[in-house]
Amino acid sequence: MFDAPGEKAEWVRRMFARIVPAYDRVNSVMTFGMDRRWRRATAAAVRPRGELVLDVATGTAELAFELIRQGARYVVGVDFVTEMLAVAHEKTAASANATAIQFAAGDALSLPFADNTFGALVNGFLLRNLIDLPGAFREFHRVLKPGGRVACLDVTHPPGMLRPLSLAYFNHVVPLIGGTLSGDFAAYRYLPRSLNELPDADGLAQIMSDAGFSAVGYKLLNFGLIAIHVGQK
Ligand SMILES: C[S@@+](CC[C@H](N)C(=O)[O-])C[C@H]1O[C@@H](n2cnc3c(N)ncnc32)[C@H](O)[C@@H]1O
């Protein structure tokens, strides 16, 4: 789909900037509201209570809000699309979380934070968009404090007999719902294609181990179409 990694990164950036206005609504409709449950499980996996947590690719800050609900002391949300961050700011300012969440522009592949800064780190629906997965996990490892936990939520390659059903939904229904609600069919056709470039759940766990994480594992949800990968520095 892309000739060079840089081309993909730029396409991803422009695509997310375009779909910001419809982003939350499309997510909620095309997942039948289950995205909230997945974010709850992702936040819980890093045991955020009392921690300074980094939400990489925060988007409209839904995962950041969930971390605060689960007792995180402070959340920093980072994203490389300023249009997403503008919505995140607006939502945060209008909520009770205004003093507990802060946002920063930055790339997951070169995080603007010092080594050993965060007690926990999460990301939601980021991994398929990256042009250097091992590099991203090395960055996550670098900015975490020793003992800090990571949890990554994303679509994965569904295993077994339910694979055809899950893929039919993801390849055909999701682009239709997303395209119709957002008016941007190209963005939501990219979604299933982006999965092709992601390793399967075991492959991703191996990348995490190679980056230095221990206690690596994953949990599959929704007929194996959704994975939450966890690890510890
Ligand atoms: C599908 S959205 C997910 C947003 C949010 N985490 C959620 O759970 O709804 C993906 C986000 O990743 C961001 N993103 C993609 N690649 C990135 C990168 N290399 N560095 C930082 N943010 C990135 C996009 O701008 C977008 O906001």
Side-chain angles (χ1 to χ4, degrees):
M1 186 177 172
F2 301 102
D3 291 332
E7 201 181 306
K8 173 174 171 173
E10 193 42 41
W11 194 90
V12 164
R13 202 190 282 259
R14 274 191 267 118
M15 183 269 288
F16 279 113
R18 281 200 316 269
I19 64 168
V20 174
Y23 181 77
D24 282 344
R25 192 161 63 97
V26 173
N27 267 353
S28 175
V29 173
M30 75 187 178
T31 67
F32 303 103
M34 285 183 290
D35 58 326
R36 275 197 226 117
R37 188 153 55 85
W38 303 336
R39 289 195 193 87
R40 259 202 308 276
T42 306
V46 295
R47 302 185 196 154
R49 185 158 296 282
E51 298 287 357
L52 169 63
V53 188
L54 180 63
D55 176 19
V56 183
T58 192
T60 58
E62 287 295 306
L63 200 41
F65 276 43
E66 183 55 41
L67 288 159
I68 294 294
R69 272 194 286 273
Q70 293 190 22
R73 177 168 51 85
Y74 202 86
V75 178
V76 178
V78 65
D79 202 290
F80 75 173
V81 170
T82 48
E83 289 85 346
M84 280 281 182
L85 289 178
V87 172
H89 264 297
E90 225 171 87
K91 280 166 67 173
T92 307
S95 77
N97 300 329
T99 55
I101 307 181
Q102 197 180 319
F103 298 102
D107 195 318
L109 301 179
S110 171
L111 291 168
F113 307 106
D115 298 357
N116 307 316
T117 300
F118 296 95
L121 185 153
V122 297
N123 52 79
F125 307 109
L126 162 70
L127 303 178
R128 283 165 296 113
N129 300 302
L130 293 171
I131 56 174
D132 177 10
L133 265 177
F137 278 102
R138 285 194 297 272
E139 271 300 88
F140 301 164
H141 192 271
R142 181 184 68 75
V143 300
L144 270 173
K145 286 182 183 159
R149 290 172 196 278
V150 64
C152 312
L153 165 68
D154 212 328
V155 176
T156 189
H157 303 269
M161 282 168 45
L162 290 165
R163 187 178 167 83
L165 200 67
S166 301
L167 285 183
Y169 174 75
F170 194 53
N171 290 335
H172 302 295
V173 181
V174 161
L176 193 67
I177 298 178
T180 307
L181 289 181
S182 68
D184 194 327
F185 284 89
Y188 287 91
R189 271 196 303 268
Y190 159 79
L191 228 156
R193 281 188 212 145
S194 64
L195 179 59
N196 297 337
E197 292 171 37
L198 194 69
D200 66 12
D202 286 329
L204 192 59
Q206 187 59 53
I207 290 175
M208 293 175 71
S209 300
D210 293 346
F213 284 102
S214 57
V216 171
Y218 60 84
K219 182 168 150 183
L220 297 178
L221 305 169
N222 281 73
F223 307 117
L225 187 60
I226 298 294
I228 300 174
H229 279 75
V230 295
Q232 192 164 18
K233 175 165 173 179

